[in-house]
Amino acid sequence: MRYIKLYVLLGLLLISCKTVQETATNTIRTPKQQIVDTREIQGGMWIPSLLEGMNEQEMQLLGSKMTAKDIYDVNNSSLKDAIVHFNGGCTSEIISPNGLLLTNHHCGYGAIQSHSSVENDYLKDGFWAMSYEEELANPSMSVTFIKRIDDVTSQVFEGVTDDMDEVSKSKLIDQNINKVAKATQKEEWQDANVKSFYKGNQYLLFVTETFNDVRLVGAPPSSIGKFGADTDNWMWPRHTGDFSMFRIYADANNKPAAYSKDNVPYKPNHYLPISLDGVEEGDFTLVFGFPGRTNEYLPAVGVDQIVNVLNPAKIEVREEALKIVDSYMRKDPEIKIKYASKYASIANYWKKWIGENQGIEKSNAIEKKKELESEFSKIVEEKDLAGYKTLLSDFEKLYKEIESVSLARDYWIEVAYRNVELLAITFRGFQLEQAYLRGGEPAFENAKQSILGRLEGMYKNYSAVVDKPVFEKLVGLYAAKAPKEYVPQNMQGVDFSKLTDEIYATSKLTSLEGAKEVLSGSAEEVIKKLNEDKAYVFGKELHTVFYNKIEPKFQELNLQLEAVQKQYMKGLMEVFPTKRFFPDANSTLRVTYGQVRGYEPRDGMYYGTTTYLKGVMEKYVPGDYEFDVPQKLIDLYNAKDYGQYAENGKMPVCFIGTNHTTGGNSGSPAIDAYGNLIGLNFDRVWEGTMSDMNYDPDICRNIMVDVRYVLFIIDKYAGASNLINEMTLVHPKK
Ligand code: ARG
Ligand code: GLU
């Protein structure tokens, strides 16, 4: 086993690695003159509080000059104090002593959109606050710091025994988690929550601090921040300046507070200095952020099901929806703004799943998983490890059983929840009726208030004209393709075109006023009105199938699958004790490290590490929806007016590295060997999007925008030198 060799060697290497030298592209020579293949010490999303030992050694071998404590320290300020979970889904980092936050343009997109109108279109033209007073408040936005991480595994497992059934186990674990969270020592403005790692084999507690006054500071026009849009999304070479800036505000004591004009810029424990020296191939890179979800330890049958059954279904639904929405967005600028954010998020995973499927196939991931599984079985037999003997056949059986209900569930989610907006609205109504049936008037009132609170937001970006053809197409698709037992009666043998006309001609739920009218009055009146509405009546049957048939069956089988997966994870770690196992991403703070590296997407083709402004000009299509370039940027390019941000007379735009990232890592800082900001993570390359299930160091690359391009846009393009002046710019290489 090559891993064993490697770790014997790493064991010898506790000494400093100052003399580590680069040999060929993928190898390094250690101080003891041993050659290590760097591909074997990359990949993985590691827990920042547990870096000492293996991770610290690996990072240093890859060129880092930092210690584990420089990255995460509870008692002193460390890098982690500058890393901020951005609004639940993205990452951001603090880059000034005044709480200035950097994240992606696509992470700030919803906020930028919310301040935009056809007359004042910040999506199109960009936005720059030249003083604190000009910064724009975002009422529903929040950002979260991690103050401390503690292992609470033994408390969470208290009283849990092997002979308990899965439902009781899971109940007791939830109770224990609540107990642990409640008993946590923390300040009153802090929160505590417990998360599961290694598929439920380890539990960690996070003490967090959340700020709710976060203001928009700057965003480039979409022709920079979203340059290349969906055509270039998930692709290399890339030329997108995918960044936007916000600022955290705190009360007079620097503590979290609701928005108030009296709040002041937050003073962080740490902010990232910014390197002006750039990167070259082989340089160490660390990406620090909040990756959302990976599935690195699925069995071959599980991957097979995703790739061959679930992904194709979801891809088809989205493809149909996107075609329709796109045609309306191109015709009508108002619709373009309304649908910009929704369209981008639907298109994003549509394209990702296509790349993921291709990558899994090309890298033979399923075969490789099978090989690992037979090696696993062999050792389990040899060592007679009773607890692990039936796992693989249990997987086979359960995946077979869950297949049709998983597929139905994905169809319901994609059609009724994500893409046909009118059906999503009827689902709210359905939940309201359910609340009444279960909890009477009080439950109804609660549910109604929550819907009313969201109603304006839901309809602000709604157009029945766009939604209607989507309804017709997707409902037809569900009827034709979802497993028969999950297709309700009212979808069988129907003329969907006629049905769609009737529903959109009569339903009150296609407009805000209509919906308000339906929702007015007593519980009984509201429910009566709902049940007279053709859209509601239609949706209700579909949602009933989901509620009564799909979800209970799925949850029951999934609980069993999770139990097998937990045991399999434990088994893998026991059977292969020298392999590197990281816990799957779960939206908690992680470190991933690697190097700046090009890659070979196909035989005879090599992709370089860096793109330049020249490439923006090569892609420029005047007036195009995706590839237009603002005149000011063209002028700066022609004049080569790059200030202190150029590299040998050229303006770098993006670069790639081997860091193992996923959704949620958007906006994560790319950090150099010394702890300085060098880039901003925003995407992965097409060939490597499968890294969520199968990271391959040869072709999985994350894409980062070079921080010098960010600074150049802020300074030279936008003239916001007020922002540059707040930052600390450094020259670590000089
Ligand atoms: N692919 C990147 C990510 O997963 C960027 C997405 C931006 N959205 C888009 N449709 N271009 O978030
Ligand atoms: N763009 C992704 C996000 O929004 C990050 C890229 C990825 O999935 O690797 O988090």
Side-chain angles (χ1 to χ4, degrees):
M1 286 283 310
R2 51 195 197 187
Y3 294 100
I4 298 179
K5 261 192 262 145
L6 178 70
Y7 281 97
V8 170
L9 176 161
L10 281 175
L12 296 170
L13 258 177
L14 285 162
I15 6 149
S16 122
C17 299
K18 276 197 201 80
T19 51
V20 169
Q21 281 167 15
E22 179 91 14
T23 56
T25 323
N26 280 314
T27 56
I28 41 178
R29 205 179 279 278
T30 69
K32 301 231 148 165
Q33 296 295 311
Q34 278 136 328
I35 290 179
V36 177
D37 188 336
T38 53
R39 287 175 299 188
E40 304 201 353
I41 56 173
Q42 298 177 80
M45 302 167 173
W46 306 97
I47 300 167
S49 53
L50 304 174
L51 297 174
E52 265 160 28
M54 181 190 86
N55 296 127
E56 190 177 49
Q57 290 163 23
E58 289 180 345
M59 285 190 271
Q60 292 178 354
L61 276 173
L62 293 169
S64 171
K65 305 296 177 208
M66 290 179 284
T67 63
K69 275 217 153 41
D70 292 333
I71 298 170
Y72 175 95
D73 195 345
V74 177
N75 302 314
N76 302 291
S77 77
S78 59
L79 281 187
K80 82 130 178 31
D81 297 317
I83 316 301
V84 192
H85 207 172
F86 187 79
N87 217 16
C90 282
T91 305
S92 57
E93 51 277 355
I94 304 215
I95 55 168
S96 94
N98 310 316
L100 187 59
L101 269 187
L102 181 64
T103 188
N104 288 145
H105 185 260
H106 78 261
C107 296
Y109 205 69
I112 304 165
Q113 179 192 12
S114 75
H115 296 291
S116 297
S117 58
V118 174
E119 302 75 46
N120 227 342
D121 192 346
Y122 299 138
L123 284 178
K124 183 160 159 283
D125 304 323
F127 169 81
W128 304 96
M130 296 296 173
S131 65
Y132 290 157
E133 290 69 40
E134 290 177 14
E135 297 175 356
L136 300 174
N138 301 288
S140 56
M141 187 172 264
S142 71
V143 298
T144 300
F145 289 86
I146 305 300
K147 304 306 286 185
R148 189 174 93 225
I149 307 174
D150 295 329
D151 194 315
V152 292
T153 311
S154 58
Q155 289 112 289
V156 169
F157 282 142
E158 218 165 82
V160 178
T161 54
D162 284 343
D163 56 349
M164 292 168 86
D165 65 70
E166 291 311 323
V167 176
S168 327
K169 261 191 213 170
S170 138
K171 268 204 191 121
L172 184 54
I173 287 175
D174 285 346
Q175 280 170 14
N176 287 345
I177 285 176
N178 282 335
K179 237 195 269 170
V180 171
K182 275 221 185 82
T184 305
Q185 279 203 2
K186 58 174 184 63
E187 307 292 345
E188 58 169 298
W189 60 86
Q190 298 178 331
D191 297 305
N193 46 68
V194 174
K195 294 263 207 164
S196 143
F197 291 75
Y198 292 105
K199 305 290 177 197
N201 287 289
Q202 184 181 23
Y203 285 86
L204 299 180
L205 168 84
F206 293 79
V207 175
T208 62
E209 226 166 84
T210 295
F211 288 77
N212 293 304
D213 188 350
V214 185
R215 304 186 194 168
L216 177 63
V217 173
S222 290
S223 52
I224 292 172
K226 199 179 154 78
F227 182 73
D230 292 301
T231 299
D232 269 12
N233 193 18
W234 300 110
M235 296 285 194
W236 185 254
R238 188 65 156 278
H239 299 86
T240 312
D242 195 345
F243 79 95
S244 62
M245 299 168 99
F246 291 79
R247 192 186 304 280
I248 305 177
Y249 280 77
D251 69 12
N253 301 317
N254 207 33
K255 297 284 174 294
Y259 171 83
S260 155
K261 62 176 183 10
D262 300 329
N263 285 345
V264 292
Y266 170 70
K267 298 284 171 215
N269 285 338
H270 183 67
Y271 66 92
L272 300 177
I274 302 177
S275 166
L276 285 174
D277 290 347
V279 291
E280 55 185 291
E281 184 143 23
D283 277 2
F284 174 78
T285 54
L286 179 148
V287 172
F288 208 170
F290 293 85
R293 215 168 89 106
T294 57
N295 259 314
E296 219 72 30
Y297 307 103
L298 287 181
V301 275
V303 177
D304 196 328
Q305 191 165 94
I306 291 176
V307 170
N308 292 310
V309 180
L310 305 178
N311 276 356
K314 296 191 290 186
I315 291 166
E316 188 185 8
V317 173
R318 289 199 177 191
E319 193 150 321
E320 295 297 350
L322 287 167
K323 257 194 272 177
I324 296 168
V325 178
D326 180 62
S327 69
Y328 284 93
M329 284 172 75
R330 283 177 191 262
K331 283 193 297 233
D332 182 341
E334 203 186 317
I335 290 198
K336 182 169 166 174
I337 295 179
K338 279 189 170 181
Y339 277 81
S341 190
K342 282 186 272 193
Y343 183 92
S345 75
I346 296 293
N348 192 35
Y349 268 66
W350 161 73
K351 193 164 177 185
K352 190 223 158 188
W353 292 324
I354 296 174
E356 181 170 272
N357 270 15
Q358 290 179 7
I360 293 283
E361 192 169 317
K362 227 180 116 197
S363 65
N364 269 327
I366 295 177
E367 277 316 303
K368 282 187 200 149
K369 292 247 178 211
K370 283 187 181 152
E371 279 164 30
L372 179 88
E373 284 162 20
S374 45
E375 209 180 322
F376 177 80
S377 304
K378 214 176 89 198
I379 300 176
V380 165
E381 282 310 318
E382 275 166 19
K383 298 199 171 160
D384 196 22
L385 304 171
Y388 305 135
K389 285 190 178 172
T390 63
L391 293 177
L392 293 164
S393 57
D394 292 346
F395 271 137
E396 286 289 337
K397 181 177 136 279
L398 284 168
Y399 271 104
K400 199 169 277 166
E401 260 180 78
I402 206 172
E403 181 162 300
S404 72
V405 70
S406 282
L407 182 62
R409 187 168 183 269
D410 277 349
Y411 270 115
W412 182 85
I413 292 174
E414 288 301 320
V415 172
Y417 193 72
R418 290 258 161 81
N419 285 289
V420 180
E421 295 171 272
L422 186 56
L423 285 177
I425 292 165
T426 63
F427 184 58
R428 305 260 183 208
F430 180 75
Q431 289 176 306
L432 193 59
E433 186 169 358
Q434 292 296 311
Y436 180 63
L437 293 176
R438 273 161 216 201
E441 295 271 357
F444 173 86
E445 274 310 317
N446 259 339
K448 185 172 137 183
Q449 286 319 315
S450 128
I451 295 178
L452 283 176
R454 272 184 264 174
L455 217 53
E456 306 267 346
M458 273 155 58
Y459 283 96
K460 177 169 178 262
N461 294 319
Y462 178 73
S463 157
V465 175
V466 179
D467 195 39
K468 185 180 165 193
V470 176
F471 178 100
E472 181 178 341
K473 188 82 210 177
L474 266 45
V475 165
L477 204 61
Y478 186 105
K481 298 277 180 83
K484 281 286 155 289
E485 51 186 312
Y486 301 111
V487 179
Q489 210 62 59
N490 69 347
M491 283 173 94
Q492 296 180 21
V494 176
D495 177 344
F496 286 112
S497 154
K498 199 167 139 239
L499 175 80
T500 307
D501 283 344
E502 272 170 27
I503 287 180
Y504 283 80
T506 62
S507 174
K508 293 218 156 58
L509 300 174
T510 54
S511 75
L512 177 62
E513 300 66 45
K516 277 187 178 158
E517 196 191 313
V518 172
L519 289 174
S520 65
S522 70
E524 267 156 36
E525 282 162 352
V526 171
I527 285 163
K528 180 160 174 285
K529 280 187 271 179
L530 275 174
N531 282 287
E532 285 162 7
D533 189 282
K534 280 213 161 72
Y536 184 74
V537 172
F538 178 83
K540 185 174 168 180
E541 274 203 50
L542 186 56
H543 304 322
T544 303
V545 168
F546 176 74
Y547 240 59
N548 294 347
K549 284 176 84 176
I550 298 177
E551 200 54 6
K553 175 110 187 261
F554 176 84
Q555 291 304 342
E556 182 207 320
L557 290 170
N558 197 45
L559 194 64
Q560 293 178 43
L561 258 181
E562 281 175 355
V564 178
Q565 185 74 59
K566 174 186 171 195
Q567 186 71 357
Y568 182 52
M569 184 81 242
K570 189 162 164 247
L572 285 172
M573 294 167 85
E574 196 175 316
V575 164
F576 304 114
T578 53
K579 256 193 204 285
R580 302 162 82 243
F581 290 104
F582 68 94
D584 266 322
N586 58 357
S587 294
T588 61
L589 183 61
R590 301 295 179 91
V591 167
T592 170
Y593 44 84
Q595 292 176 322
V596 176
R597 284 272 170 236
Y599 70 109
E600 205 181 289
R602 270 192 290 282
D603 185 37
M605 235 174 122
Y606 189 75
Y607 279 156
T609 59
T610 310
T611 58
Y612 296 91
L613 194 54
K614 176 168 170 277
V616 172
M617 297 309 298
E618 284 172 5
K619 286 179 177 173
Y620 172 39
V621 182
D624 184 73
Y625 189 74
E626 300 184 298
F627 292 99
D628 203 6
V629 178
Q631 187 57 45
K632 176 104 185 261
L633 188 59
I634 300 173
D635 294 343
L636 289 165
Y637 172 75
N638 287 332
K640 303 276 168 277
D641 185 3
Y642 305 145
Q644 59 182 329
Y645 310 114
E647 176 185 291
N648 302 322
K650 298 201 298 187
M651 187 66 240
V653 176
C654 294
F655 64 98
I656 50 176
T658 56
N659 307 286
H660 189 176
T661 53
T662 188
N665 271 125
S666 274
S668 298
I671 292 169
D672 71 3
Y674 307 93
N676 305 306
L677 185 69
I678 46 177
L680 185 59
N681 183 75
F682 72 98
D683 210 358
R684 278 173 286 169
V685 305
W686 181 244
E687 295 81 2
T689 54
M690 57 150 181
S691 63
D692 290 348
M693 288 186 275
N694 178 49
Y695 174 83
D696 180 336
D698 284 329
I699 54 169
C700 293
R701 296 289 178 272
N702 67 314
I703 308 179
M704 298 153 275
V705 50
D706 193 305
V707 75
R708 292 168 299 175
Y709 188 56
V710 172
L711 297 176
F712 160 76
I713 296 294
I714 297 171
D715 189 349
K716 291 284 176 176
Y717 177 85
S721 50
N722 53 314
L723 299 176
I724 303 284
N725 292 339
E726 285 184 45
M727 306 172 190
T728 301
L729 308 183
V730 297
H731 281 289
K733 288 184 172 179
K734 286 183 184 142

